[in-house]
């Protein structure tokens, strides 16, 4: 029997950690998150770094993934509708 994982915070909710933004508003350090998968093993987060081109058809981001470790690579997550990835900006963070 599989154990249910507790969600420590709600992405883009009234948690005070993130706010939803338009994908076109992404800035370095913003997050692109797939959080609404019914399977917790198929949720994913990348940290936006920069747009690959002026048309904003892809971007470079940092991610960690099983089997490949940490990498900096080009993505289109969230740019095409229907993939369940959404853009968020971290808020209330200080050094």
């Amino acid at each position: 029997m599989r154990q249910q994982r507790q969600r420590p915070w709600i992405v883009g909710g009234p948690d005070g950690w993130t706010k939803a933004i338009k994908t076109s508003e992404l800035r370095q350090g913003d997050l692109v998150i797939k959080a609404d998968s019914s399977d917790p093993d198929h949720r994913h987060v990348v940290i936006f770094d920069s747009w690959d081109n002026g048309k904003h058809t892809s971007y470079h981001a940092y991610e960690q993934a099983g089997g490949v470790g940490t990498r900096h690579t080009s993505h289109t997550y969230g740019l095409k509708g229907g993939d369940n990835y959404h853009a968020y900006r971290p808020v209330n963070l200080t050094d």
Side-chain angles (χ1 to χ4, degrees), residues 7-61:
R7 290 177 67 175
W9 46 275
I10 300 169
V11 176
D15 58 13
W17 293 105
T18 61
K19 70 174 184 176
I21 60 170
K22 295 177 183 176
T23 306
S24 61
E25 298 172 342
L26 283 166
R27 298 188 311 217
Q28 191 173 43
D30 287 339
L31 308 172
V32 181
I33 303 173
K34 181 179 184 177
D36 56 357
S37 172
S38 60
D39 182 349
D41 292 330
H42 289 96
R43 296 177 183 158
H44 194 61
V45 177
V46 298
I47 303 170
F48 180 86
D49 183 31
S50 61
W51 291 105
D52 287 340
N53 56 55
K55 293 184 179 184
H56 296 187
T57 57
S58 64
Y59 57 87
H60 262 77

Side-chain angles (χ1 to χ4, degrees), residues 48-87:
F48 180 86
D49 183 31
S50 61
W51 291 105
D52 287 340
N53 56 55
K55 293 184 179 184
H56 296 187
T57 57
S58 64
Y59 57 87
H60 262 77
Y62 294 92
E63 69 177 327
Q64 274 193 326
V68 296
T70 303
R71 59 187 177 176
H72 182 248
T73 189
S74 186
H75 293 286
T76 58
Y77 302 145
L79 300 180
K80 300 173 184 174
D83 66 1
N84 291 325
Y85 281 87
H86 303 282

